[in-house]
């Protein structure tokens, strides 16, 4: 046996490494946390890396997981070794095909990074609910508990399915295993070849469909045949456990790593045994070893092959002395007798006992518990609590672990102080910003230590759910033994805080153990820094006797020309003060790593980083810690005292990163969550904010229009409201006639602004004496913070102008409407959120949003805070996310329901007309609600109606009272990205558009799967590089608008607010006024396009002016007026497509990969833009015959 | 008519050279230039800022958003290898070399003595027959003395000259306190040619948008400044001389040659009129020489230089006086 090759990588790459080398076709669809597996495979194929048979695996991205598994099924049927990767909802979409694949006894091993299935809420994190939903499919369920095992089992699963013909679902824990970076022994190509039997591969091929030896599969069978045929494959399942064990044994012979179907660890005479699977089994493993050392007779049984469940093998590994068993399930099956694994164990014990096949000395007592839903922590302390429970005379069954259930009292209490962390395992915790490169630097450090020393390493990274100002916490362990601790570090030898402001928001030092090293990046010298620490930080430094180092990394980075990237600097500091490696060795390795990372991208970057490393050590100082606390200030509360009770009790705790401490009773029972909570978050992530100069301003309101976070606002108000204004509050006379004599203010929300610069970039007003100075200009926030906070508070207190006084809605007046979507976690400079904000301004008080999963559902609905908010009357958007794939249908359902309730209300109103009064009823039923004034009038009528109903003593009046709200028009919008509209949800969207129901579809078109990290969609334009189209997409973007126009009855608009904001507003208003389906395709610049988003609006202009993104409106109403329905709203050809493309890395990087292809694609893009413009110009001249307009088609599907 | 000349050590059939410009980005245009008789091809400039800036920009744009958000640890695919703009430039040299038979001259543009100068060697390795170093510096620093600016220019030229064995031409701006001395020092460094003068992007003001905009192309009026310095240097330094900026017609070119130019670079005229215009200028030039009974171009090369012309003072201070006097009259 050769000495093993050790590599440092994460679980996804470890699985991809085997899957790519042992398959020929890979069909997939991106989904967190499995997306990177496919991305690795795609990248390797793109780079020409072959599988072990010397062929290039075909990697194909499909339109959904249902599509991916369909392609997999076909590829398998035609004889290729095929795989896929998925998780959660994606796995559920594959289930129908999985039954088929298993029913046909097809050799297939798929890989699943387990993830919670959405229930009351979506979660990207880990539990086994997805895999457990597949128990009935007939797949073998094969569980790895670590990165090494995931690597190994990917191979064993592939070998075993070839031999046993039962398809395998190989799974490992999402994030905890898929994203953990650790050192493993790599399987060589020879290892893989030795385990994958060529004869079996040939047999698989022979079973493939071929007209040269034709067979038929997929028959329809009748009662006479189906049942027997279904039983005909039983023996394959009966023999599979033995086959898997044989493969495991061969694997051990090849690699030295031994596995069993069920691996037992612990005292051979154990009395108390845990049964579980997945990464938690590793924590249980080390906990058991610890308790054994303490003399406790305990053990843990790790399940590898969960299906088929071999009772014989399961019983065999249990110590005969077992008296009590706790089965831990990482899933929840409401209403069941118990969770699935628990039921299996109970049944297995009972069956073995009944058949006399048990060697156990007594019938063990068995209890089951749930743990780890959505990656909830499972620590040794919790596991010890389970063992303690098993020792009690009365056992608590169906318990929960890791939470406090104060409602149904299922939870097991545990001692949070209990810890088994070994002293020789160095633990380090790093707090950073996503944008400062902390995680990347730590991954780099792990690689250095993993690959340059014999130490075992582990890196796990916790990200928050914000896309701007995102906080990261890195947990690193280094030790002499394999690290099995699958939980976060609570007591670290080294704590680094890479952003000084975190100390004011978080208890960073709670992670530090006594005598730990604390490294702080601060804009202060070693002599000054102490006085800038909050009290609790000083207290902990003194109490824990921390060694305290400080560096001004931002200054070093700036001096070295590295911008805000402090990664290299902080990495150097870590090695310099942690003592993990000798300092000089570490610096050599860091430089080697820099060379490796950046050499291809240019020596300048390398040199600058080298210089940063060298300068770091001269700027790193140990702080002489004073003997006593001197801080004059405490860490401020996270939310203001004025916040609602729920926000203080629940939201603020989640914001503080302490949500684990909240008991069950703190939470809503059904996932219903209050809106209007982001306003309390006050993240304060901008260092510069826009400041208004009224003297230059032309009051166009474009700044407010483009703001992605509703953090710069405009207001027009009566002069009286200025009474009591703060001294620095700015105001000027309003210049237009509609609010003559009123005052006008533009005000920034200083703690909600992300500093993206979009507003300043679009500001058209320049100071005539110094044109560099505009009407709004970025200014450092720190000196302005307090006064701008006061100004903003005062601004919010000024009443908004009455909506019904706005007679004409355009860009300017729309920005006087209160945004009901504010301070979301979207990226700084996001190109989507301005559309959503506008939507809420125009129709927010009567708006229902069905939101497809994606970026917009994350910044729209990811806890802790919710950005949708309410107006002064408590009205605002009602929002819900169902799934990724079903959003059009989901929104249609909302429309159907609202129309139903509206019809009921109208009918009840008519029946009660004599009591209510005919005039009021007539006015309500015939009300014109097409304007703000009309809606305001209707609301007044409804208020009068309610008054009247109170005086009517009849059941019917009560019924009407319940639905009066539905007499006011409701606006239903289906919102989602291009991944939804062009790909996974297209079938549903197409169906909804094919009908005549009044609803609006807003497609936030970033031309790529943004939320999952830039995978190509059918909206990705020709020539753009995206994941799964790394060399530049070779086909044109799908013309969704043209498809919708082909129905003839759909309102369609293509908009780009950065190019022509007035057109966007007009399209939104027209869509809303259209009595039928309306589709707006909205150009949304995106971080995945690869440029500084401050130029987002500029790029939109270039896109529109080149013709690559035409602005148009297709309004079927114009057909009735004898006009062409299509109107082109912006001329093309004012710049070339190339002028647009060259500014974005997604296009430009193709040139860096293949300049010839780049030029070909560029020419094709230009040609296509011109052709499309020409087509549209011709369409814009087509007049539909009047007869068609006068004789509309029967409207079978419209509301009756 | 014998229009041959020697420039940068190359024997050329005539002095009319397409100067550094985007014309060479397209291979078809390069072929058309050669067909029009271009005696050498000068690549467009590879800018110091491009070399440094692109490296930084690639890293920034590729890393933006990385490792920030759990669902998207990156946003763009990771290419196996990068052809940075400078790399594409090097490839273009090789491509041009493969389609033309005339010498191909690379062009580097920058001011600081930094890592970007390594591209001189890379340009040589890519097959360039010569290198034009464009020292394009606007001395805007109120605190920096002229001596320091000149020292930096000499340092850059020395670094380049020492790193390559192909001929090196240095393209200068007219804004040095002592051009003649600077040229002498460059000559002492054994540079093979001096190119007078680079054109700074000419600013203009858009009064509607309150923005500074660029004027792109030169006119014949820019020639006189170059004639003066060609005439002053001609015959007094070893390096060959070229003019660039303001040559639009055969007569412009003839003036330059008479003032001492061995090479006459044209850019704006070719951008406006197309590559074939080069042929027309050459024919016009030959015709002019025939009509004026010159035996060869070399016969008139430097004939109107300071050291050989009939009224040398016209190039010097007396010329200034004369103009002033003419104004008075």
């Amino acid at each position: 046996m050769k000495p093993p090759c050790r590599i440092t990588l994460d679980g996804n790459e470890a699985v991809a490494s085997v899957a790519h080398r042992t398959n020929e076709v890979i069909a997939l669809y991106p989904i967190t946390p499995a997306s990177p597996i496919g991305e690795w495979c795609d990248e390797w194929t793109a780079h020409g890396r072959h599988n072990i048979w010397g062929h290039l695996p075909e990697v194909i991205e499909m339109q959904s997981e249902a599509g991916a598994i369909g392609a997999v099924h076909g590829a398998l049927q035609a004889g290729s070794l095929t795989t896929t990767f998925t998780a959660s909802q994606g796995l559920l979409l594959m289930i129908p095909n999985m039954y088929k694949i298993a029913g046909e006894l097809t050799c297939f091993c798929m890989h699943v990074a387990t993830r919670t299935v959405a229930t009351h809420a979506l979660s990207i994190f880990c539990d086994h609910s997805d895999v457990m939903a597949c128990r009935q499919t007939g797949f073998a369920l094969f569980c790895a508990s670590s990165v090494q095992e995931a690597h190994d089992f990917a191979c064993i699963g592939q070998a075993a399915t070839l031999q046993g013909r039962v398809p395998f679902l190989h799974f490992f824990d999402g994030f905890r295993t898929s994203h953990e970076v650790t050192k493993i022994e790599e399987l060589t190509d020879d290892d893989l070849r030795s385990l994958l039997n060529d004869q079996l591969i040939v047999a698989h091929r022979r079973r493939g469909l071929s007209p040269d030896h034709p067979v038929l599969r997929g028959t329809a069978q009748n009662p006479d045949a189906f049942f027997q045929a279904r039983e005909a494959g039983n023996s394959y399942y009966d023999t599979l456990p033995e086959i898997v064990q044989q493969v495991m044994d061969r694997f051990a012979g090849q690699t030295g790593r031994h596995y069993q179907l069920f691996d037992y660890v612990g005292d051979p005479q154990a009395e108390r045994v845990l049964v579980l699977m997945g990464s938690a089994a590793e924590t249980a493993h080390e906990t058991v070893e610890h308790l054994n050392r303490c003399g406790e007779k305990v053990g843990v049984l790790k399940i590898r092959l969960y299906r088929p469940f071999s009772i014989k093998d399961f019983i065999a590994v249990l110590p005969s002395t077992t008296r009590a068993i706790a089965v831990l399930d990482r899933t929840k099956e409401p209403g069941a007798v118990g969770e699935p694994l628990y039921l299996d164990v109970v049944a297995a014990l009972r069956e073995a006992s009944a058949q006399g096949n048990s060697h156990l000395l007594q019938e063990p007592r068995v209890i089951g518990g749930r743990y780890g839903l959505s990656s909830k922590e499972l620590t040794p302390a919790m596991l010890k609590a389970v063992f303690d429970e098993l020792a009690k005379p009365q056992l608590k069954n169906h318990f929960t672990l890791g939470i406090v259930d104060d409602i149904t009292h299922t939870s097991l209490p545990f001692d949070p102080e209990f810890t088994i962390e070994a002293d020789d395992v160095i633990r380090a915790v790093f707090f950073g910003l996503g944008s400062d490169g902390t995680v990347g630097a730590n991954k780099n450090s792990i690689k250095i230590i993993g690959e340059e020393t014999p130490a075992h390493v582990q890196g796990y990274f916790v990200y928050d759910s914000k896309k701007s100002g995102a906080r990261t916490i890195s947990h690193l362990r280094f030790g002499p033994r394999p690290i099995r601790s699958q939980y976060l570090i609570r007591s670290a030898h080294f704590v680094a805080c890479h952003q000084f402001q975190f100390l004011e928001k978080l208890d960073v030092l709670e992670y530090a153990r006594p005598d730990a090293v604390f490294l702080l990046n601060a804009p202060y010298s070693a002599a000054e820094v102490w006085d800038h620490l909050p009290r609790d930080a000083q207290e902990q430094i003194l109490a824990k006797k921390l060694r305290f180092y400080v560096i001004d990394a931002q200054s070093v980075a700036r001096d070295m020309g590295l911008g805000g990237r402090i990664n290299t600097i902080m990495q150097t500091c870590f090695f310099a003060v942690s003592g993990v490696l000798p300092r000089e060795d570490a610096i050599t390795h860091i430089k080697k790593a820099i060379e490796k990372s950046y050499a291809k991208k240019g020596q300048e970057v390398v040199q600058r980083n080298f210089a940063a490393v060298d300068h770091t050590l001269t700027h790193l100082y140990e702080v002489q810690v004073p003997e006593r606390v001197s801080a004059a200030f405490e860490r401020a509360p996270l939310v203001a005292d004025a916040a609602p009770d729920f926000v203080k009790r629940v939201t603020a705790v989640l914001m503080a990163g302490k949500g684990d401490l909240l008991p069950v009773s703190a939470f809503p029972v059904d996932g219903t969550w209050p809106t209007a909570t982001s306003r309390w978050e006050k993240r304060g992530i901008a260092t510069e904010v826009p400041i208004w100069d009224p003297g230059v301003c032309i009051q166009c309101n474009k700044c407010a229009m483009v703001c992605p976070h509703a953090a710069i606002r405009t207001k027009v108000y009566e002069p009286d409201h200025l009474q009591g204004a703060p001294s620095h509050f700015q105001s000027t006379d309003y210049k237009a006639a509609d609010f003559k004599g009123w005052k006008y203010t533009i005000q920034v929300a200083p703690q909600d602004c992300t500093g993206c610069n979009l507003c300043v970039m679009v500001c058209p007003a320049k100071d005539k004496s110094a044109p560099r100075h505009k009407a709004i200009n970025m200014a450092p926030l720190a000196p302005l913070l307090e006064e701008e906070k006061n100004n903003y508070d005062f601004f919010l207190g000024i009443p908004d102008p009455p909506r019904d006084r706005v007679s004409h809605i355009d860009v300017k007046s729309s920005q006087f409407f209160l945004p009901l979507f504010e301070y979301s976690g979207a990226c700084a400079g996001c190109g989507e959120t301005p559309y959503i904000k506008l939507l809420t301004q125009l129709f927010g008080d009567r708006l229902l949003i069905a939101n497809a999963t994606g970026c917009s559902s994350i910044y729209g609905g990811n806890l802790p805070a919710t950005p949708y908010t309410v107006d002064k009357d408590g009205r605002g958007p009602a929002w819900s996310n169902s799934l990724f794939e079903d959003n059009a249908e989901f929104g249609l359902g909302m429309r159907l329901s609202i129309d139903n309730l509206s019809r009921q209300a109208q009918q009840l109103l008519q029946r009660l007309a004599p009591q209510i009064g005919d005039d009021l009823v007539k006015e309500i039923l015939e009300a014109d609600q097409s304007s703000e004034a009309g809606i305001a009038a209707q609301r007044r009528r409804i208020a009068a109606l309610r008054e009247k109903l109170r005086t009517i003593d009849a059941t019917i009046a009560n019924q009407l009272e319940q639905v009066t709200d539905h007499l006011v028009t409701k606006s239903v919008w289906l919102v989602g990205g291009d991944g939804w509209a062009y790909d996974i949800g297209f079938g549903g969207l197409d169906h909804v558009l094919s009908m005549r129901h009044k609803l609006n579809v807003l497609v936030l078109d970033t031309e790529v799967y943004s939320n999952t990290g830039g995978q190509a969609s059918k909206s990705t334009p020709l020539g753009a590089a995206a994941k799964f189209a790394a060399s530049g997409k070779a086909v044109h973007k799908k013309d969704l608008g043209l498809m919708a126009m082909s129905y003839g009855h759909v309102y369609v608009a293509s908009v780009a607010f950065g190019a022509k904001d007035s057109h966007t507003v007009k399209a939104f208003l027209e869509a809303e006024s259209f009595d039928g389906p309306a589709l707006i395709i909205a150009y949304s610049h995106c971080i995945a396009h690869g440029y500084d988003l401050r130029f987002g609006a500029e790029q939109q202009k270039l896109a529109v002016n080149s013709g690559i993104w035409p602005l148009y409106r297709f309004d079927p109403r114009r057909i009735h007026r004898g006009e062409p329905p299509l109107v082109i709203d912006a001329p093309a050809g004012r710049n070339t497509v190339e002028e647009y493309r060259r500014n974005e890395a997604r296009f430009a990087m193709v040139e860096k990969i293949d300049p010839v292809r780049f030029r070909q694609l560029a020419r094709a893009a230009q040609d296509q833009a011109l052709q499309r413009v020409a087509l549209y110009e011709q369409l814009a001249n087509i007049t539909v015959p009047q007869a068609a307009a006068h004789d509309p088609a029967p409207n079978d599907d419209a509301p009756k | 008519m014998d229009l041959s000349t020697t420039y940068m050590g190359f024997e050329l059939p005539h002095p009319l050279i397409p100067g550094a410009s985007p014309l060479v980005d397209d291979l078809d245009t390069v072929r058309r230039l050669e067909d029009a008789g271009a005696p050498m091809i000068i690549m467009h400039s590879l800018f110091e800022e491009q070399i440094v800036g692109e490296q930084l920009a690639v890293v920034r744009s590729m890393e933006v958003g990385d490792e920030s958000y759990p669902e998207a640890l990156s946003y763009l695919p990771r290419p196996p290898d990068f052809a940075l703009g400078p790399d594409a430039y090097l490839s273009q040299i090789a491509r041009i070399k493969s389609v033309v038979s005339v010498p191909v001259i690379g062009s580097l543009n920058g001011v600081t003595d930094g890592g970007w100068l390594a591209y001189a060697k890379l340009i040589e390795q890519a097959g360039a027959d010569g290198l034009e170093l464009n020292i394009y510096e606007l001395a805007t620093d109120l605190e920096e003395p002229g001596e320091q600016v000149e020292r930096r220019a000499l340092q850059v030229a020395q670094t380049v000259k020492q790193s390559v064995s192909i001929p090196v031409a240095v393209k200068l701006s007219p804004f040095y306190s002592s051009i003649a001395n600077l040229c002498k020092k460059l000559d002492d460094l054994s540079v093979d040619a001096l190119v007078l003068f680079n054109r700074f992007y000419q600013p203009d003001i858009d009064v509607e948008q309150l923005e500074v905009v660029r004027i792109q192309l030169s006119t014949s009026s820019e020639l006189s400044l170059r004639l003066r310095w060609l005439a002053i240097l001609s015959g007094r330094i070893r390096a060959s001389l070229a003019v660039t900026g303001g040559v639009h017609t055969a007569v412009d070119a003839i003036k330059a040659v008479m003032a001492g130019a061995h090479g006459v670079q044209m850019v704006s005229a070719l951008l406006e009129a197309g590559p074939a215009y080069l042929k027309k200028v050459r024919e016009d030039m030959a015709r002019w020489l025939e009509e004026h009974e010159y035996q060869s171009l070399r016969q008139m090369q430097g004939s109107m230089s300071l050291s050989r012309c009939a009224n040398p003072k016209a190039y010097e201070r007396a010329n200034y006086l004369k103009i002033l006097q003419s104004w008075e009259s």
Side-chain angles (χ1 to χ4, degrees), chain A residues 564-583:
Chain A
R565 298 289 279 190
I566 57 169
N567 47 353
T568 307
I569 297 158
M570 297 310 291
Q571 185 186 14
T572 306
C573 291
F574 163 66
F575 280 112
V577 299
S578 67
V580 175
L581 281 181
R583 190 181 275 206

Side-chain angles (χ1 to χ4, degrees), chain B:
Chain B
M1 176 57 63
D2 175 12
L3 297 180
S4 67
T5 182
T6 305
Y7 175 63
M8 286 177 84
F10 297 102
E11 293 299 325
L12 306 181
H14 64 85
L16 302 170
I17 304 163
S21 79
L23 284 169
V24 299
D25 289 352
D26 179 60
L27 283 187
D28 283 345
T29 312
V30 172
R31 284 196 194 94
R32 287 167 62 203
L33 284 168
E34 192 183 29
D35 291 347
M40 66 167 39
I41 299 291
I42 302 179
M43 300 283 294
H44 71 254
S45 275
L46 183 55
F47 281 74
E48 176 184 359
E49 291 81 358
Q50 182 185 358
I51 295 167
V52 175
E54 182 161 7
Q55 289 180 13
L56 297 176
V58 163
V59 171
R60 255 197 299 272
S61 62
M62 292 290 296
E63 288 184 348
V64 68
D66 277 11
E67 302 284 4
S68 295
Y69 173 68
E71 299 207 62
L73 300 184
S74 67
Y75 285 94
L76 286 166
R78 289 162 287 218
D81 216 338
F82 272 97
L84 293 168
D87 298 337
Y89 183 90
L90 300 176
S91 313
Q92 182 73 351
I93 292 177
R95 270 197 294 272
I96 292 175
K97 280 291 290 178
S98 70
V99 299
V100 299
S101 55
V102 297
V104 176
I105 310 297
S107 175
L108 264 182
N109 184 326
V111 290
T112 65
D113 189 20
W116 66 282
L117 289 171
Y119 273 87
K121 187 76 193 162
L122 295 174
I123 286 172
E124 179 180 28
Q125 288 168 352
D129 300 295
L131 177 68
E132 185 173 280
L133 175 66
N134 189 349
I135 302 176
Y136 177 104
E137 176 154 23
L138 263 182
T140 57
D141 185 348
L142 296 180
E143 305 299 325
E144 188 176 41
E147 186 192 355
Q148 205 164 310
V149 176
E150 293 189 0
R151 201 182 311 132
R152 189 162 54 235
L154 289 166
Q155 183 60 50
V156 168
Q158 185 174 19
T159 304
V160 168
K161 186 65 192 164
Q162 285 172 352
S163 65
V164 298
S165 55
I166 51 176
V168 173
V170 175
K171 191 166 171 178
L172 292 170
S173 86
F175 304 112
Y176 290 96
S177 49
S178 174
I179 295 180
N181 177 257
L182 180 67
C183 290
K184 168 75 169 54
K185 286 179 176 163
L186 286 166
D187 200 37
D188 291 346
L189 293 174
S190 299
V191 303
D192 300 275
L194 295 172
V195 185
L196 310 179
F197 293 112
N198 53 29
R199 294 175 67 247
F200 293 119
Y201 286 112
Q202 306 293 309
D204 194 4
I205 290 172
D206 179 336
V207 295
E208 296 297 329
Q209 297 299 319
L210 299 183
E211 285 172 358
V212 178
V213 295
R214 288 172 176 175
I215 298 171
Q216 300 288 352
L217 301 179
S218 76
T219 63
S220 292
S221 67
E222 294 174 40
L223 186 61
S224 64
L225 174 75
R226 286 140 179 98
L227 294 181
R228 177 205 300 270
W229 287 102
L230 283 168
I232 289 169
L233 294 172
S234 178
R236 300 168 73 190
I237 59 169
R238 184 203 48 77
S240 54
L241 295 170
V243 64
T244 180
V247 177
H248 285 249
T249 64
V251 173
D252 291 341
I254 289 162
K255 290 176 186 173
V257 173
M258 286 180 168
H262 304 92
V264 176
Q265 297 189 3
M266 297 174 68
V267 174
S268 297
L270 297 182
L271 284 170
E272 282 171 333
Y277 184 64
L278 189 81
K279 188 177 175 201
K280 181 178 183 312
V281 176
R282 183 174 54 110
E283 289 167 355
D284 288 352
M285 198 173 182
R287 195 177 308 120
W288 192 94
L289 262 72
E290 279 164 13
E291 285 170 7
H292 292 76
E293 298 180 351
Y294 280 87
Q295 290 164 358
S296 69
L297 184 94
R298 290 181 203 267
Q299 188 186 5
M300 71 179 197
Q301 215 154 33
S303 60
M304 294 297 290
S305 67
L306 182 70
S307 56
R308 288 158 64 183
C309 74
N311 55 339
K313 291 290 177 193
Y315 287 121
E316 297 181 295
R317 191 167 170 79
N319 195 24
Y320 172 68
L321 290 171
K322 192 175 172 187
I323 292 169
L324 280 183
Q325 285 153 6
S326 70
W327 268 96
E328 283 167 3
S329 63

Side-chain angles (χ1 to χ4, degrees), chain A residues 590-600 603 606 610:
Chain A
I590 292 171
K591 288 189 173 174
K592 254 173 38 187
I594 289 168
E595 183 83 37
K596 194 172 164 190
S597 301
Y598 295 122
K600 282 181 187 168
Q603 275 305 308
V606 173
F610 278 8

Side-chain angles (χ1 to χ4, degrees), chain A residues 123 183 364 426 438 625 629 1062 1111:
Chain A
S123 170
K183 181 155 76 177
I426 295 177
T438 296
V625 176
V629 171
S1062 59
L1111 298 188

Side-chain angles (χ1 to χ4, degrees), chain A residues 52 194 437 531 574 694 722 747 939 1075:
Chain A
I52 55 170
S194 77
D531 292 332
F574 163 66
L722 278 174
Q747 177 61 48
R939 289 202 195 283
D1075 189 17

